[in-house]
Amino acid sequence: MSTLRAGVLDSRCREGHLESADPLVLWGGSGMVGDVPSLIQPVLPLLAASAVLMAATPAQDSRLTLLDAMATELTRNHQQLKLQSHEPPYFMSYQLKDYTQDVVAARYGAVFMDDGYRERRLYVDVRVGDYSFDSSVAEGLDFSFSTKGTSYTSRKEGPLDDSPLALRTALWLITDEKYKSALFQYLKKKGEDVYSVEDPKRPASFSKEKPSLHTQPPVERPFQRERWVKLAREVSARFNAHPELFDSEVRVTADKVTRLFVSTEGSRLVTEETLYGLHVSAVTRAPDGQLLDNSRDFYAPTEAGLPDDARVRASAEKVIEELLALRQAPAIDPYTGPAILAPEAAGVLFHETLGHRLEGDRQDGDNEGKTFKGQVGKMVLPTFLSLHDDPSLRTMGGEPLNGYYLYDEEGVKGQRVTLVEKGVLRNYLLGRRPVDGFLQSNGHGRSQGTLKPVARMANLVVESTKQVSDAKLKQLLIEEAKRQDKPYGLIIRDITGGNTNTSSYGYQAFKGVPRMVYRVDVKTGKETLVRGVEIVGTPLSAVNRLMATGQKLGVFNGFCGAESGNVPVSTVAPAALIQEIELQRAVEGKDRPPILSSPAASQTPAPREKP
């Protein structure tokens, strides 16, 4: 099951689970172990790579000191780690992620959170066997094995102090655990292979890639705490004048991750990424008990890219206005018929119906539905549509894209991939797990924290050659509704997110959670706000009923959750007219709203500045 949502998740993670669901090698010189001549030759490429990077990087850079320590320990373990009478590791990589975050959150006009934290997390990949057949297993099956006594799992934290010895010691202990686990898995896989039918098309276990060398200059992460505290207090107080909205929040986050990566192939990476978020949200209940929420979410790689104070105030007023309107909007019955999806909603549709099913790791394995396996070169979309994913895109139409990155979690440069060209499937999103016919990574191996990377989306972009104006799109909607003898069509202008199931043991289906849905009368063209429905359907049926698209592109920024954690993503798409879409009844809440009125209801509301 994969999910997409607009609000950020707290970037703090503990071995694959989130603490909360809030909206967030370089060689430097030495590094050789021992004086045995046989150990020198294999690491000459590492020394050469280090010399190039060190020449271009200030010597006082503490990141390189740690990267040197990582490279030293990597070489020591790669050359010497071997259990008697068993295979040594053929590939290893180390990754350190240094996380920092500041967060300010206010409710009811008061600060509820003013916090910051920092941590370092380690990920170690150890593989036994060779590139064609190794110890790797599907995400979630990687484990340590103990035959007696109490099992011990090494901690995956790195030292906050820039201590090379402490870092090497932590890596040494994790590496020992990973090697034993990899050796166990390798022997188990070899045994299981005896019972499996030979598959001449079985791809290799791991792709062999050229080393990547990159040192990114340090990136500043300013945070105007006083400004955000003041603004969060002020804007959150605006909700007090509307006791129907029983909960609300204004949250500002500033995240930074510095990533150090080394591998036995010679990759040496230092990258830094920052992401700022500003979220205005509120919750209410309709008179019939249905829970309603609304929000505005903004992301930017710099603090200056966040909206100014006036725009934040205006966003809060819009959230209030829409929620009050939704409370009074009629709930509609399940519906099948034509609908227009606004750009953000159309992007979520493509993300859930196609994007996940074109991830390389989903083309293999007994647990996957493999919707598009073996379909390369065949028509999967209407001919006027093309689809590609490009992690190198920083912005689209001046708006920052969440899915931007330089190198993926496996040390491969992020690359633009044409997935569908004029309706024809051309490629998959690939990490270092090859797919039949596609043996190299295209830089889409992604994960959160210390989870195992798998192929994931970054910036999914939809292109269309059948574009019409918004007015024409609405006209086509009305004409199609009349043709189907429907009293109305629908326009879905805003969406919270969605989820999909790609597994073989479940239905191949998807769901979207629309927020602002309008019923369009076929006789008058009048639009009426409605509520109480969710988009559902099967992927192949839904995307092949697209009739036309709008001319303007819209961006949906959010976080996508799957087996390798929550990763920042974006979709870029035009509005889309679908010949037939299915809407099912949303969960009907019957909870009684708060019995007493809010204490704020008796207070005189503070004067408001005009947005």
Side-chain angles (χ1 to χ4, degrees):
M1 179 69 74
S2 302
T3 60
L4 177 67
R5 57 176 292 180
V8 302
L9 293 165
D10 192 328
S11 61
R12 284 171 278 193
C13 63
R14 297 289 185 270
E15 286 305 298
H17 69 273
L18 297 169
E19 285 189 337
S20 65
D22 295 327
L24 233 225
V25 294
L26 272 82
W27 277 67
S30 60
M32 293 301 298
V33 178
D35 297 319
V36 183
S38 62
L39 295 181
I40 298 177
Q41 194 65 31
V43 299
L44 288 179
L46 309 185
L47 289 167
S50 176
V52 172
L53 288 171
M54 289 299 293
T57 309
Q60 67 271 21
D61 192 338
S62 62
R63 302 174 305 172
L64 299 187
T65 301
L66 296 178
L67 205 57
D68 180 38
M70 293 169 67
T72 300
E73 191 60 27
L74 182 83
T75 300
R76 182 175 82 101
N77 281 278
H78 187 225
Q79 294 296 326
Q80 300 181 16
L81 185 60
K82 182 180 184 299
L83 191 61
Q84 187 175 3
S85 303
H86 290 290
E87 293 84 348
Y90 81 92
F91 172 88
M92 293 173 54
S93 67
Y94 289 165
Q95 181 166 259
L96 178 149
K97 287 184 178 179
D98 188 330
Y99 293 98
T100 55
Q101 183 188 68
D102 283 291
V103 56
V104 168
R107 301 162 65 194
Y108 326 127
V111 172
F112 272 58
M113 180 179 291
D114 185 354
D115 196 10
Y117 89 101
R118 183 182 177 212
E119 70 172 355
R120 282 174 171 169
R121 306 289 293 170
L122 301 174
Y123 177 75
V124 172
D125 189 14
V126 177
R127 293 170 178 265
V128 172
D130 55 36
Y131 286 98
S132 61
F133 185 86
D134 70 13
S135 55
S136 59
V137 294
E139 172 62 27
L141 297 179
D142 191 9
F143 61 93
S144 297
F145 184 76
S146 177
T147 58
K148 60 182 179 179
T150 302
S151 297
Y152 172 78
T153 301
S154 60
R155 290 173 288 185
K156 306 304 186 294
E157 296 93 348
L160 294 180
D161 293 336
D162 294 336
S163 167
L165 177 60
L167 177 58
R168 286 185 58 184
T169 304
L171 288 169
W172 157 74
L173 195 58
I174 300 171
T175 304
D176 183 81
E177 175 188 284
K178 290 285 186 177
Y179 171 64
K180 293 170 183 173
S181 175
L183 185 58
F184 171 79
Q185 291 161 0
Y186 179 64
L187 296 173
K188 185 173 183 288
K189 279 181 69 175
K190 288 184 70 175
E192 291 175 344
D193 207 38
V194 173
Y195 293 91
S196 301
V197 176
E198 291 187 11
D199 182 5
K201 293 185 177 181
R202 182 174 71 181
S205 294
F206 198 55
S207 67
K208 190 171 186 178
E209 304 290 342
K210 295 179 180 179
S212 299
L213 306 174
H214 181 79
T215 301
Q216 184 177 349
V219 176
E220 295 297 322
R221 188 190 60 93
F223 189 67
Q224 301 177 57
R225 186 176 300 277
E226 291 184 4
R227 173 201 170 189
W228 298 122
V229 166
K230 179 182 177 182
L231 183 64
R233 279 198 186 106
E234 177 208 327
V235 175
S236 67
R238 292 172 175 250
F239 291 88
N240 291 341
H242 302 278
E244 309 97 316
L245 314 183
F246 58 81
D247 200 4
S248 59
E249 183 180 73
V250 177
R251 175 175 292 244
V252 186
T253 58
D255 291 275
K256 177 180 176 181
V257 57
T258 300
R259 189 263 297 259
L260 312 181
F261 179 89
V262 300
S263 78
T264 51
E265 291 175 334
S267 288
R268 302 293 180 265
L269 299 173
V270 180
T271 62
E272 298 198 359
E273 297 174 3
T274 56
L275 184 64
Y276 291 80
L278 193 152
H279 312 274
V280 181
S281 61
V283 178
T284 188
R285 284 193 184 276
D288 61 7
Q290 184 184 3
L291 189 67
L292 303 170
D293 66 90
N294 197 9
S295 67
R296 289 295 183 273
D297 303 288
F298 303 94
Y299 299 93
T302 64
E303 188 177 38
L306 291 178
D308 60 24
D309 294 5
R311 189 179 177 193
V312 177
R313 296 186 188 105
S315 297
E317 294 299 331
K318 195 66 176 176
V319 168
I320 293 170
E321 176 188 328
E322 291 178 351
L323 271 180
L324 293 178
L326 280 170
R327 289 188 80 250
Q328 303 304 319
I332 64 171
D333 294 326
Y335 168 89
T336 57
I340 293 174
L341 275 63
E344 292 80 2
V348 172
L349 174 75
F350 281 96
H351 177 101
E352 300 297 354
T353 58
L354 284 170
H356 279 297
R357 288 168 174 78
L358 294 177
E359 293 165 341
D361 290 68
R362 307 197 188 284
Q363 312 311 313
D364 199 8
D366 295 336
N367 294 330
E368 288 294 338
K370 310 172 192 175
T371 306
F372 294 109
K373 182 176 182 179
Q375 300 298 305
V376 173
K378 297 181 181 179
M379 194 73 64
V380 296
L381 277 177
T383 57
F384 61 86
L385 291 172
S386 297
L387 193 69
H388 67 264
D389 191 283
D390 190 353
S392 69
L393 280 178
R394 287 181 178 268
T395 62
M396 177 63 72
E399 186 167 351
L401 299 180
N402 269 18
Y404 168 79
Y405 58 85
L406 291 172
Y407 293 86
D408 72 4
E409 307 301 311
E410 297 176 308
V412 180
K413 189 174 181 63
Q415 303 158 36
R416 184 184 189 274
V417 182
T418 297
L419 299 167
V420 179
E421 182 181 29
K422 296 180 180 179
V424 178
L425 181 61
R426 296 299 185 192
N427 207 337
Y428 302 106
L429 300 168
L430 299 169
R432 296 192 63 173
R433 182 181 179 183
V435 174
D436 182 26
F438 301 92
L439 304 182
Q440 302 301 131
S441 170
N442 50 41
H444 282 78
R446 307 188 66 195
S447 67
Q448 176 192 23
T450 59
L451 292 173
K452 184 178 181 180
V454 300
R456 302 283 296 276
M457 284 171 279
N459 294 317
L460 191 69
V461 182
V462 181
E463 297 177 345
S464 170
T465 58
K466 192 175 181 180
Q467 301 177 348
V468 298
S469 67
D470 291 347
K472 179 63 175 178
L473 206 61
K474 183 176 178 179
Q475 179 186 338
L476 292 174
L477 169 71
I478 293 173
E479 291 174 358
E480 181 60 26
K482 287 180 177 179
R483 190 190 68 81
Q484 296 183 27
D485 197 25
K486 301 287 184 180
Y488 59 85
L490 292 179
I491 298 179
I492 299 172
R493 298 198 183 279
D494 193 15
I495 193 166
T496 302
N499 59 72
T500 191
N501 179 41
T502 65
S503 64
S504 60
Y505 52 83
Y507 296 106
Q508 290 296 302
F510 71 94
K511 182 169 74 171
V513 186
R515 188 152 46 200
M516 304 300 290
V517 181
Y518 294 83
R519 185 168 54 196
V520 181
D521 188 280
V522 297
K523 294 180 180 179
T524 65
K526 180 182 177 181
E527 299 180 16
T528 303
L529 181 65
V530 295
R531 62 176 174 84
V533 289
E534 298 172 333
I535 305 170
V536 293
T538 54
L540 297 181
S541 176
V543 296
N544 279 287
R545 294 183 180 180
L546 288 160
M547 299 176 65
T549 68
Q551 298 171 330
K552 301 175 184 177
L553 294 176
V555 174
F556 181 98
N557 278 320
F559 278 72
C560 174
E563 60 268 53
S564 63
N566 293 281
V567 297
V569 296
S570 300
T571 64
V572 181
L577 171 60
I578 301 182
Q579 185 179 37
E580 184 176 82
I581 196 168
E582 182 176 351
L583 296 168
Q584 70 178 15
R585 197 182 304 276
V587 175
E588 295 181 354
K590 294 299 181 183
D591 288 354
R592 189 187 302 275
I595 298 172
L596 296 178
S597 61
S598 165
S602 61
Q603 303 296 314
T604 302
R608 300 183 183 180
E609 298 180 24
K610 293 183 178 180

